[in-house]
Amino acid sequence: MATEVLMPALSPTMEEGTLAKWLVKEGDAVKSGQILAEIETDKATMEFEAVDEGIVGKLLIAEGTAGVKVNTPIALMLEEGESADAAPEKAAAPSASVEKQPEQPEGSEGKAVDEPLVSSPGSAVPAKPPVSPDWPEGTAMKTMTVREALREAMAEEMRGNDRVFLMGEEVGEYQGAYKISQGLLDEFGPKRVVDTPITEHGFAGIAVGAAFGGLNPIVEFMTFNFAMQAMDQILNSAAKTLYMSGGQMGCPIVFRGPNGAAARVGAQHSQDYAAWYAQIPGLKVVMPYSAADAKGLLKQAIRDPNPVIFLENEILYGRSFEVPVLDDFTIPFGKAKIWREGTDVTIVSFGIGMTYALEAAEKLAEDGISAEVIDLRTLRPIDYDTVLESVKKTNRCVTVEEGWPVGSIGNHLSATIMQRAFDYLDAPVLNLTGKDVPMPYAANLEKLALVTTAEVVEAVKSVCYR
Amino acid sequence: MATKKSPEKSNVSKDELLTYYREMLLIRRFEEKAGQLYGMGLIGGFCHLYIGQEAVVVGLEAAAKEGDKRITSYRDHGHMLACGMDPKGVMAELTGREGGYSRGKGGSMHMFSKEKHFYGGHGIVGAQVPLGAGLAFADKYLGNDNVTFAYFGDGAANQGQVYETYNMAELWNLPVVFVIENNQYAMGTSVKRSTKSPSLWERGAAYGIKGEAVDGMDVLAVKAAGEKAVAACRAGEGPYILEMMTYRYRGHSMSDPAKYRTREEVQKMRDEKDAIEHVRDMLLQGGHASDEDLKAVDRDIKAVVNESADFAKESPEPALEELWTDIYA
């Protein structure tokens, strides 16, 4: 019987890819383990092997086709003596709609909105925020992914300052575990794009020492989960030395990499450290959502004379946004961005939380609730004024983040709003966070552990007494 | 540890010997004074004295040139004095005053001087080792021939980050001299109770790093070893390890009752191995100085130390606004 060969998922977050090249043709007999095709994800080009022996009956997707969804049938394999014509015609139809359908969490019937866990690029998010103080009116824009924006930011700063260098695991020859540093080794050479052994504690310390010694290191942590190994150097050496030295010894360094949950990578690889780092005086903490912010804020971070924690997100890497075409585009720290103006409630978020905040605002608008959506962008410093101004207008606030509930950024904002805008509040400030559990692996449980758009909608309705 | 002294092995000049004598004595008297001020409640918190180990920093500073960097742990007063930092500024930092090197915000364990290329003063055991390699990384990147001395103790030698650093320092050929000040005790734990390794410097061999053990109570032996290590680094031969066999006479910190060793052990070291007495003997026996000459040096040093103590007492506490400064550049 003919077997369908499906487009494989080659990384935890891959949703689609390009079928770059077929290495077999129709009629070929293949053995198990033989390479069938080259598949290009946004991160890498991967070889795709046959799992079983058989004969290639039909290639269903032509090579060079981009945007092939995971689980789409790409070929038919036949057993000996079978004819391709006998294969079911419907092959492409039923399983083509492979976008992961989220299962409803137990007990959420009737409440949960049919939202994908990870919304695909170009979903309800408005391409352009209504208010942008970050670049002049009329600036030309181009579409680019967060990944490209980060790479451009590093490349531009490295061109502009020869003391800026990148260091980390797989940043050079491998071209970046998440391809953020793709091409940088070619342009800047191994002196400035330094592959390290797997030794976070050690290389973080060396980078901090290099910053004391007059360089401007960018340290890539493959993910911020691994930065736990280096926490002592980040906190005790990078963050505190300026103070301990009475202002003599600054540490101009950027620690960057993906932070927070990716997809299905379990408890040790799925933690949002935003609130942790935001607690430390001496650090600056940045967590961009859009590509424009990723670029402008990373350039700013590299120029900052202080240690900056730059928290990226793997799921956002592949998302596209409009980025201004400017020779030198930076965004100052401590300025929140109002993505959507509204009058009934203020939703404050940052990083990937903005996905849920913006989607919720869209849905709430359909129900006649006008939400103002604020992206904090930097968590140290925090732009309290923008949040307070908004809350004074809307009298209600909901915060959204992926991190854990105890000691969250939302908790801190709640306290600040209580202290500085108590009389303006018509409802308690609600904090939406990840659940207070280590991240489970099972798909349904993971979904349950993360904050969702549905929860944001529900929380907003609750503070609006609707 | 080698017990034999070898005053005749180098044709060392009188001036050189006098300089070492003076510098080591300054550290010792300074530390004794710090101990006194601690007892009087003028110095707070932790205070780790360097008494006994003076030959290590004085000998290595003699092998350094302008531009070379140094970084160490919390037992740092000796390193600061040896690299030429002002005793007044160091003592005033110990008393937490405005006139201190960190304007009172660092304390005994956290002092720095960009001018003298002294990069701290680090309170987390072993953390200064990768930082030191990072300083060397910067110099190599910038293309100069400076060398960094990264000091750490026998206790820190068991920290994982030391070996992470060895690996990268050799991999990248960094001009860093790892100086293990083996004073035999990590707080109260003797080396014998913390490792089965017969020697600490030999661990570098696993990473391809050259090194040697040195009589750290003999300033001339230290200087000679330092020159060799520095020359290797400047020649682009990468890192070097010097294990300085030394001894601290005082407790780990001021609050250490030192029950882990006998008084006799300490006294024996003082009597037989003292680095300052060693140079003093060389000066006297070599006819380079008279007893009277050395007494004059003692008086000078005493005056410098007393002046630093007076300054440290008189300098005002930092202004309250200082709480909020120097958090960000």
Side-chain angles (χ1 to χ4, degrees):
Chain A
M1 206 191 103
T3 321
E4 290 174 350
V5 176
L6 304 180
M7 181 73 168
L10 297 170
S11 82
T13 51
M14 175 175 165
E15 291 172 0
E16 58 178 39
T18 300
L19 207 164
K21 193 174 183 187
W22 280 111
L23 298 172
V24 293
K25 55 185 192 302
E26 291 176 2
D28 282 1
V30 296
K31 294 202 171 89
S32 110
Q34 187 175 337
I35 296 160
L36 298 178
E38 282 178 4
I39 288 169
E40 216 174 281
T41 70
D42 53 354
K43 284 187 274 196
T45 301
M46 313 272 285
E47 290 175 338
F48 176 49
E49 298 174 357
V51 285
D52 226 334
E53 59 179 23
I55 293 155
V56 180
K58 208 169 215 164
L59 301 180
L60 300 170
I61 303 282
E63 65 178 33
T65 308
V68 183
K69 300 272 185 222
V70 166
N71 283 343
T72 308
I74 55 174
L76 280 179
M77 298 293 289
L78 308 172
E79 284 176 29
E80 198 115 5
E82 218 174 358
S83 141
D85 302 332
E89 277 298 309
K90 59 187 173 70
S95 44
S97 61
V98 226
E99 257 188 294
K100 293 177 208 158
Q101 287 300 318
E103 290 123 57
Q104 298 289 323
E106 293 264 332
S108 66
E109 293 86 357
K111 274 196 254 169
V113 185
D114 195 20
E115 277 299 316
L117 165 65
V118 171
S119 69
S120 44
S123 58
V125 177
K128 237 184 277 180
V131 186
S132 177
D134 299 324
W135 50 81
E137 192 86 28
T139 302
M141 304 294 283
K142 66 177 168 184
T143 302
M144 111 177 14
T145 61
V146 170
R147 172 178 285 108
E148 289 160 348
L150 293 167
R151 183 186 308 140
E152 268 198 12
M154 286 196 287
E156 286 177 18
E157 292 306 298
M158 287 174 78
R159 281 173 210 136
N161 179 355
D162 59 13
R163 293 193 174 204
V164 177
F165 72 99
L166 174 67
M167 159 185 267
E169 291 154 5
E170 311 290 12
V171 297
E173 293 194 8
Y174 193 94
Q175 306 294 327
Y178 294 98
K179 294 286 167 279
I180 307 301
S181 58
Q182 191 155 34
L184 296 184
L185 177 66
D186 286 346
E187 180 174 352
F188 299 102
K191 179 185 167 188
R192 300 184 66 195
V193 180
V194 182
D195 278 321
T196 67
I198 300 173
T199 172
E200 285 84 4
H201 195 182
F203 72 67
I206 286 178
V208 171
F212 291 155
L215 303 185
N216 298 78
I218 305 169
V219 173
E220 175 172 311
F221 288 118
M222 194 179 290
T223 82
F224 262 93
N225 303 287
F226 311 149
M228 294 289 275
Q229 299 262 6
M231 207 56 135
D232 173 61
Q233 292 292 0
I234 297 171
L235 266 62
N236 277 315
S237 302
K240 297 179 184 174
T241 298
L242 185 73
Y243 195 81
M244 294 193 303
S245 65
Q248 284 184 73
M249 203 72 67
C251 186
I253 191 169
V254 178
F255 296 103
R256 50 155 290 271
N259 164 71
R264 309 293 309 282
V265 289
Q268 292 180 335
H269 283 70
S270 309
Q271 188 172 336
D272 173 10
Y273 292 92
W276 283 45
Y277 288 111
Q279 224 239 334
I280 312 299
L283 293 180
K284 294 191 178 181
V285 182
V286 182
M287 190 151 159
Y289 162 60
S290 73
D293 287 350
K295 182 171 181 189
L297 290 167
L298 183 53
K299 283 168 68 73
Q300 183 76 18
I302 294 167
R303 294 177 193 187
D304 198 287
N306 298 286
V308 180
I309 302 289
F310 197 92
L311 302 168
E312 301 160 8
N313 185 287
E314 187 188 335
I315 291 163
L316 292 178
Y317 279 154
R319 300 245 182 117
S320 295
F321 295 83
E322 294 289 286
V323 176
V325 183
L326 291 169
D327 283 346
D328 195 15
F329 162 60
T330 59
I331 295 174
F333 292 170
K335 274 182 67 184
K337 173 171 188 154
I338 300 170
W339 277 79
R340 187 179 176 120
E341 288 180 334
T343 51
D344 298 332
V345 63
T346 302
I347 304 177
V348 185
S349 189
F350 49 90
I352 194 166
M354 284 299 298
T355 309
Y356 315 117
L358 289 169
E359 284 173 357
E362 195 79 5
K363 286 187 187 305
L364 288 161
E366 289 163 17
D367 291 340
I369 296 175
S370 161
E372 181 142 300
V373 182
I374 297 176
D375 179 356
L376 290 176
R377 305 198 289 193
T378 64
L379 304 175
R380 184 174 266 273
I382 287 186
D383 183 356
Y384 298 108
D385 290 345
T386 296
V387 174
L388 291 166
E389 279 315 302
S390 176
V391 171
K392 285 176 183 174
K393 178 175 73 174
T394 64
N395 313 113
R396 294 170 172 87
C397 183
V398 168
T399 67
V400 184
E401 68 198 287
E402 268 198 355
W404 284 315
V406 179
S408 63
I409 296 290
N411 288 172
H412 174 63
L413 286 177
S414 301
T416 305
I417 294 166
M418 183 183 73
Q419 287 163 18
R420 294 174 59 184
F422 186 76
D423 290 340
Y424 292 88
L425 285 175
D426 285 346
V429 178
L430 294 189
N431 301 146
L432 295 180
T433 64
K435 309 306 183 293
D436 203 8
V437 297
M439 187 63 70
Y441 168 70
N444 62 334
L445 297 182
E446 182 182 62
K447 204 160 297 168
L448 202 54
L450 290 162
V451 65
T452 63
T453 301
E455 288 168 343
V456 181
V457 169
E458 194 186 347
V460 166
K461 286 186 173 168
S462 137
V463 298
C464 292
Y465 305 111
R466 295 271 291 264
Chain B
M1 183 186 311
T3 50
K4 197 98 168 76
K5 294 296 180 191
S6 47
E8 43 296 300
K9 78 181 161 197
S10 12
N11 44 0
V12 56
S13 74
K14 168 192 166 181
D15 286 351
E16 216 179 317
L17 281 175
L18 268 174
T19 303
Y20 301 151
Y21 181 72
R22 173 180 281 278
E23 288 178 350
M24 290 195 290
L25 199 63
L26 171 64
I27 295 171
R28 182 156 305 177
R29 298 285 173 263
F30 181 95
E31 293 291 66
E32 287 165 356
K33 181 60 81 179
Q36 276 175 23
L37 297 188
Y38 193 92
M40 293 161 67
L42 285 162
I43 296 173
F46 296 126
C47 184
H48 310 85
L49 302 182
Y50 197 66
I51 297 174
Q53 302 179 215
E54 297 90 344
V56 176
V57 289
V58 169
L60 287 178
E61 285 299 337
K65 71 159 178 61
E66 170 56 30
D68 289 345
K69 299 179 169 64
R70 59 284 289 164
I71 186 166
T72 187
S73 71
Y74 45 81
R75 194 179 306 285
D76 55 355
H77 312 161
H79 304 70
M80 292 187 276
L81 298 175
C83 73
M85 287 167 66
D86 182 353
K88 291 205 290 267
V90 178
M91 197 68 94
E93 189 61 37
L94 298 184
T95 53
R97 305 302 173 92
E98 187 184 86
Y101 265 99
S102 297
R103 298 213 303 282
K105 289 154 80 167
S108 165
M109 300 188 285
H110 311 297
M111 268 181 266
F112 305 81
S113 168
K114 253 204 162 143
E115 186 203 345
K116 299 290 180 189
H117 312 292
F118 179 73
Y119 286 82
H122 293 269
I124 306 297
V125 177
Q128 76 276 19
V129 180
L131 295 174
L135 292 167
F137 181 97
D139 280 325
K140 185 170 187 224
Y141 187 101
L142 296 170
N144 59 46
D145 71 344
N146 296 334
V147 167
T148 296
F149 295 91
Y151 293 87
F152 56 103
D154 47 285
N158 290 318
Q159 284 280 24
Q161 60 184 317
V162 170
Y163 300 94
E164 296 188 23
T165 303
Y166 279 3
N167 186 42
M168 285 178 280
E170 179 65 21
L171 183 67
W172 297 333
N173 217 24
L174 301 181
V176 53
V177 181
F178 297 110
V179 184
I180 307 171
E181 295 194 67
N182 184 348
N183 66 13
Q184 327 285 329
Y185 293 94
M187 196 165 156
T189 303
S190 69
V191 172
K192 285 189 185 65
R193 292 204 302 125
S194 62
T195 180
K196 285 234 171 184
S197 306
S199 73
L200 300 174
W201 71 269
E202 283 182 335
R203 293 181 185 179
Y207 303 88
I209 306 180
K210 286 179 289 214
E212 60 193 272
V214 182
D215 181 353
M217 305 300 275
D218 178 351
V219 69
L220 299 180
V222 171
K223 185 196 171 209
E227 282 172 341
K228 188 171 159 193
V230 163
C233 286
R234 288 210 218 288
E237 289 166 23
Y240 204 96
I241 299 171
L242 296 176
E243 181 176 0
M244 296 291 172
M245 308 310 291
T246 182
Y247 199 79
R248 89 171 131 70
Y249 298 169
R250 304 289 285 262
H252 165 72
S253 68
M254 290 302 297
S255 49
D256 174 10
K259 299 285 191 209
Y260 45 83
R261 61 185 183 188
T262 62
R263 277 175 194 281
E264 290 71 31
E265 179 186 308
V266 181
Q267 196 55 47
K268 192 171 152 61
M269 288 302 291
R270 278 180 176 273
D271 292 344
E272 295 175 7
K273 291 287 300 177
D274 188 77
I276 298 176
E277 284 305 315
H278 174 47
V279 174
R280 188 183 162 85
D281 288 348
M282 275 192 278
L283 281 164
L284 293 173
Q285 284 166 23
H288 300 304
S290 68
D291 222 18
E292 201 42 54
D293 294 338
L294 297 184
K295 273 187 186 146
V297 173
D298 291 3
R299 279 195 297 275
D300 285 354
I301 297 291
K302 205 169 188 178
V304 170
V305 169
N306 285 338
E307 194 191 357
S308 76
D310 291 344
F311 178 78
K313 287 183 228 171
E314 282 156 19
S315 177
E317 288 189 306
L320 297 182
E321 299 82 65
E322 281 288 331
L323 181 66
W324 299 104
T325 61
D326 305 324
I327 299 165
Y328 294 102

